[in-house]
Amino acid sequence: MGVNTPTITDIKALEIIDNRGRPTIRARVYTEGGYCGRADVPCGSSTGSYEAFDLRDGDSRYSGRGVHRAIANIHDVLRPALLDEEVTNQRRLDHLMVELDGTPNKSRLGGNAILAVSMAAAQAAAAALDMPLYRYLSGDGHVLAVPQACLINGGLHAGNDLDAQEFCVMPVGSPTMAEATRLVCEVFDTLKGLLENRHGKLSTNFGEDGGFAPPLRTSREAMDLLCEAVEKTGYAKDVVYGLDIAATPLYDVAAGTYRFDGRQRTPDEMIAAMQDLVREYPLIVSIEDPIQQDDLNGWKAVVDSLPGVLIVGDDLTATNVERLRLAIGAGAMNALLCKVNQIGTVTEAMDAARFAQRHTCPVVMSVRSGETEDDILSDISVALNAGVFKIGGPHGSDRGANFNRFLEIEAELGPVARYAGRDYARLA
Ligand code: PGA
Ligand code: ZN
């Protein structure tokens, strides 16, 4: 081996469980010199139809969600193809896997199988070079993204009647990631007390995003509680708000209407509802998936009518450069949600993020609702100098993992570290 170009000596994958008790893949990539990288694959609930294919067994185990077939593809197809390849050539490794799969959405081998190996290879390369992953992925990574912390969960992430999926705080006024983390946790604690007093103990149960899932009905009720918790904790000047409407599952294709905040709405009424929310809560600076993924005109109307607000493409763009090109060309969004498993390789996810940044679309890195203790996304966020990171609430080690990795990176970077703060949208 060349000193800096160790080759892959083995790849092993295992079925593990995520934070919801659902199976997912853990892969290890081994290299010459005895190095190893490990990665776990995240998984969503509100998945858009443009995402890479998540290969599941469909048999009696785990309600059909087993990943034995995907793991067999890793061992039988990806491993033989990647053995003896240089581990530090991430783009080539990812390209080889995409070629081997041969389908537009990775449906032959599984986006989950390919991503597991892609991320584990990146970790192995960083280990072999004795570098932190964010440094290996980019020489220039130094920005700690504003954590967009989902403290109230609704939609598919909660057993309540809130239609919108996520109500989040963004601590833009904090000076550092450490202080931003403290703010999020203190507000979370205050919110718990408020919920208990107003709605009883049951209202402090958790949703799938590590925030509370209280028995609220409307976005206003959720925003009022969130704002009250922020004010009561003493951070009114430091916090702005982000929503994920996750409108695609709220849309009834046959009727052509959305179920939102207690009633059915036409697309025009949905657009008006977004405008009303921003009018009533001017500190809402970001709205994700306000409109279903195929209505580009509807998206454009939201972008045009809410200047200064990030209109974030998630299901719309699925971290896919082609979808992104379409959406940006149509003026249908102005910020990209970047989820690595929507596209299925580290290279393609970073390409999508950089494409967005080149088109002055800020990048919001994002976890999925299904996560493990893996903290790789924080490193990718820093490597991209992303301005925002949608991180969930601070409940559970699956959510804590990314907060804690950010804290570690901030400490490691020392004076070079820059917390995105109020520049979260200017880092494109
Ligand atoms: P998901 O939700 O991970 O369940 O898809 C996150 C999101 O919609 O942003
Ligand atoms: Zn979303």
Side-chain angles (χ1 to χ4, degrees):
M1 78 174 188
V3 177
N4 288 329
T5 56
T7 58
I8 294 175
T9 53
D10 204 0
I11 298 175
K12 287 185 181 157
L14 180 74
E15 184 179 71
I16 61 163
I17 57 165
D18 70 13
N19 52 355
R20 302 181 288 201
R22 294 182 183 173
T24 189
I25 305 170
R26 169 168 291 177
R28 285 180 192 269
V29 167
Y30 299 86
T31 74
E32 282 179 301
Y35 300 101
C36 171
R38 184 186 101 176
D40 303 339
V41 176
C43 178
S45 293
S46 63
T47 50
S49 60
Y50 298 106
E51 300 196 14
F53 190 74
D54 191 35
L55 182 62
R56 301 281 166 170
D57 295 337
D59 60 12
S60 56
R61 303 174 62 253
Y62 284 113
S63 311
R65 295 193 184 98
V67 288
H68 283 172
R69 282 163 63 207
I71 286 174
N73 287 342
I74 292 178
H75 290 148
D76 300 342
V77 184
L78 299 177
R79 178 182 178 278
L82 298 190
L83 285 186
D84 299 328
E85 286 289 331
E86 287 177 5
V87 74
T88 48
N89 201 341
Q90 184 75 32
R91 186 168 291 274
R92 176 173 161 81
L93 298 176
D94 288 343
H95 180 74
L96 280 173
M97 291 194 283
V98 168
E99 292 279 295
L100 268 173
D101 176 82
T103 67
N105 64 346
K106 303 184 176 65
S107 57
R108 189 170 90 82
L109 301 175
N112 45 349
I114 292 172
L115 181 64
V117 175
S118 176
M119 295 193 300
Q123 293 281 22
L129 298 180
D130 192 24
M131 280 182 184
L133 181 62
Y134 64 86
R135 171 78 55 238
Y136 167 67
L137 292 174
S138 157
D140 183 44
H142 64 287
V143 173
L144 284 304
V146 169
Q148 180 172 338
C150 178
L151 301 191
I152 296 183
N153 296 189
L156 294 176
H157 291 169
N160 59 18
D161 293 323
L162 272 176
D163 293 318
Q165 186 175 276
E166 299 170 22
F167 298 86
C168 311
V169 293
M170 298 168 65
V172 293
S174 302
T176 61
M177 184 54 118
E179 287 297 290
T181 303
R182 179 167 74 89
L183 184 157
V184 166
C185 294
E186 289 179 8
V187 171
F188 186 63
D189 199 41
T190 307
L191 180 61
K192 182 170 192 230
L194 282 179
L195 284 168
E196 234 167 45
N197 286 340
R198 304 270 162 81
H199 298 279
K201 272 211 273 200
L202 280 179
S203 69
T204 61
N205 287 337
F206 293 105
E208 284 193 4
D209 264 325
F212 299 112
L216 309 177
R217 294 187 166 275
T218 67
S219 302
R220 279 168 187 76
E221 289 172 17
M223 281 304 299
D224 285 344
L225 267 164
L226 209 50
C227 293
E228 189 178 343
V230 167
E231 276 159 32
K232 193 163 176 220
T233 323
Y235 291 122
K237 289 196 172 64
D238 297 321
V239 170
V240 294
Y241 300 87
L243 307 182
D244 183 2
I245 306 296
T248 302
L250 303 181
Y251 185 64
D252 179 335
V253 181
T257 56
Y258 295 86
R259 188 191 67 249
F260 183 67
D261 278 1
R263 67 179 180 83
Q264 292 296 319
R265 293 170 198 254
T266 65
D268 282 348
E269 288 171 340
M270 196 66 180
I271 295 161
M274 298 303 119
Q275 295 163 358
D276 290 346
L277 273 172
V278 175
R279 197 174 309 120
E280 281 176 50
Y281 304 93
L283 291 177
I284 293 176
V285 300
S286 174
I287 304 182
E288 180 181 328
D289 282 357
I291 295 290
Q292 56 99 353
Q293 63 190 12
D294 291 311
D295 179 6
L296 289 175
N297 291 333
W299 275 81
K300 183 173 182 334
V302 177
V303 171
D304 291 346
S305 67
L306 293 175
V309 178
L310 296 185
I311 305 301
V312 186
D314 172 13
D315 290 350
L316 176 73
T317 33
T319 317
N320 181 320
V321 171
E322 293 316 314
R323 292 285 305 166
L324 198 47
R325 206 187 298 276
L326 187 75
I328 290 175
M333 41 92 80
N334 59 24
L336 172 72
L337 200 79
C338 180
K339 289 170 165 169
V340 287
N341 82 317
Q342 281 182 326
I343 186 68
T345 62
V346 172
T347 302
E348 290 168 290
M350 292 186 70
D351 281 352
R354 289 189 169 127
F355 182 91
Q357 288 170 331
R358 279 199 304 279
H359 290 81
T360 59
C361 279
V363 169
V364 180
M365 277 303 295
S366 178
V367 298
R368 300 308 301 247
S369 46
E371 286 283 343
T372 70
E373 63 273 31
D374 195 323
D375 55 14
I376 189 170
L377 298 176
S378 297
D379 280 79
I380 297 177
S381 174
V382 173
L384 289 166
N385 288 328
V388 183
F389 187 105
K390 206 162 68 119
I391 199 162
H395 170 75
S397 50
D398 50 308
R399 306 295 155 196
N402 285 301
F403 277 106
N404 291 340
R405 180 65 187 139
F406 274 131
L407 295 175
E408 209 166 43
I409 296 173
E410 183 169 68
E412 190 171 86
L413 286 173
V416 174
R418 172 164 172 223
Y419 177 62
R422 295 191 191 278
D423 289 333
Y424 65 91
R426 282 187 215 109
L427 293 162

